[in-house]
Amino acid sequence: MPRFFVENIEGELLTITGDDARHIGRSLRMRPGEELTLCDTCGTDCLCVVETVSDSAVTVRVTERRPSDTEPSVEVTLYQGYPKGDKLETVIEKAVELGVSRIVPVLTERSVARPDDKSAARKLERWQRRALEAAKQCGRGRIPQVEPMIAFSALPERMKAHDTALFCYELGGKPLTEALCDADGDIGIFIGPEGGIAHGESQALLDSGVTPVTLGKRILRTETAPLAALTAVMLLTGNME
């Protein structure tokens, strides 16, 4: 069933405008009597029947409201070392599908690509659109947020705010089965860029109480590691059942 996010789901008759209305009418060619789902981005789904369709607006009637059952029981923030090219877009899309709550790009010592502020602002808008489209596609009840890029120097302090704070380290660490044995609530995970995590950076994280973890004996690419880690987190916290 097609799924769209709206800010206001109060009332029995709701109106969808803008790009979503055009997508419903022109791309999906939906007609009165067909069904779609509207989500308020806060975990409530509305099952709706289309009443009217035009190029500028679609009117729907709410038939049922219910809590979204697709959100995981844990809040996971992915801190991703900024990679080259369009790899981050792929990470965002797949991380949203896997249940991430928030994605924060991190400019590290070994990040090859180093966008200026203007370029980063343009990219952020595109990244958030990618997160939105992925959330629609996979049936999320919330839209994960992509935050503005931060410098690594801000990361250790950010990680202290999480109940469980981990960084995936190619030089080894705890198995995720051990690091997540009692994990619940709020989890933060840092993944380094293509060149890995510099020694000074790993030491700063260790000094802040962040736990190094391993993803096995093979070294995974920067775009593969977060997906492997998120899959493991969701499995070990019972969110793939």
Side-chain angles (χ1 to χ4, degrees):
M1 185 183 299
R3 184 180 188 84
F4 300 89
F5 289 95
V6 296
E7 293 183 359
N8 186 356
I9 59 171
E10 295 181 2
E12 294 306 309
L13 281 177
L14 305 176
T15 301
I16 306 166
T17 59
D19 290 341
D20 284 344
R22 286 187 287 275
H23 183 66
I24 292 169
R26 296 179 184 177
S27 300
L28 299 180
R29 298 184 181 277
M30 296 190 75
R31 296 293 180 261
E34 294 188 278
E35 297 180 331
L36 55 77
T37 300
L38 297 182
C39 180
D40 67 351
T41 76
C42 296
T44 299
D45 288 349
C46 288
L47 305 186
C48 305
V49 174
V50 176
E51 293 277 312
T52 63
V53 180
S54 72
D55 286 344
S56 59
V58 175
T59 302
V60 301
R61 182 177 298 277
V62 179
T63 59
E64 182 183 351
R65 285 182 171 84
R66 65 190 184 192
S68 172
D69 61 0
T70 58
E71 288 302 301
S73 62
V74 289
E75 293 258 338
V76 182
T77 299
L78 171 63
Y79 297 92
Q80 175 66 48
Y82 189 63
K84 297 184 292 185
D86 58 0
K87 293 177 183 177
L88 185 56
E89 293 193 25
T90 299
V91 169
I92 290 169
E93 179 181 280
K94 303 308 178 187
V96 169
E97 293 177 26
L98 287 167
V100 79
S101 299
R102 188 177 299 102
I103 299 165
V104 184
V106 182
L107 195 63
T108 74
E109 180 179 327
R110 293 179 178 172
S111 292
V112 176
R114 312 189 79 83
D116 57 29
D117 291 343
K118 187 175 181 179
S119 175
R122 289 197 303 269
K123 289 177 181 291
L124 180 61
E125 184 177 346
R126 187 169 71 246
W127 296 335
Q128 190 61 60
R129 280 201 308 272
R130 181 61 69 94
L132 170 61
E133 292 304 319
K136 288 180 183 177
Q137 181 275 324
C138 69
R140 293 289 299 267
R142 301 175 186 270
I143 305 172
Q145 294 302 299
V146 183
E147 294 191 5
M149 188 182 305
I150 63 171
F152 177 86
S153 59
L155 181 62
E157 194 63 31
R158 288 282 299 263
M159 295 293 271
K160 290 180 181 179
H162 299 286
D163 299 329
T164 302
L166 312 171
F167 71 101
C168 296
Y169 198 28
E170 61 268 25
L171 297 184
K174 285 186 177 181
L176 278 171
T177 49
E178 181 181 341
L180 292 168
C181 61
D182 297 318
D184 58 8
D186 192 323
I187 301 171
I189 302 176
F190 171 59
I191 306 288
E194 289 90 349
I197 302 172
H199 174 73
E201 292 172 337
S202 63
Q203 191 60 53
L205 292 170
L206 290 169
D207 291 345
S208 295
V210 184
T211 302
V213 294
T214 178
L215 294 176
K217 297 184 182 302
R218 295 162 302 283
I219 296 177
L220 304 182
R221 293 179 182 271
T222 187
E223 66 269 32
T224 307
L227 309 184
L230 285 168
T231 300
V233 168
M234 293 302 163
L235 180 63
L236 294 170
T237 56
N239 284 289
M240 290 191 127
E241 299 176 357

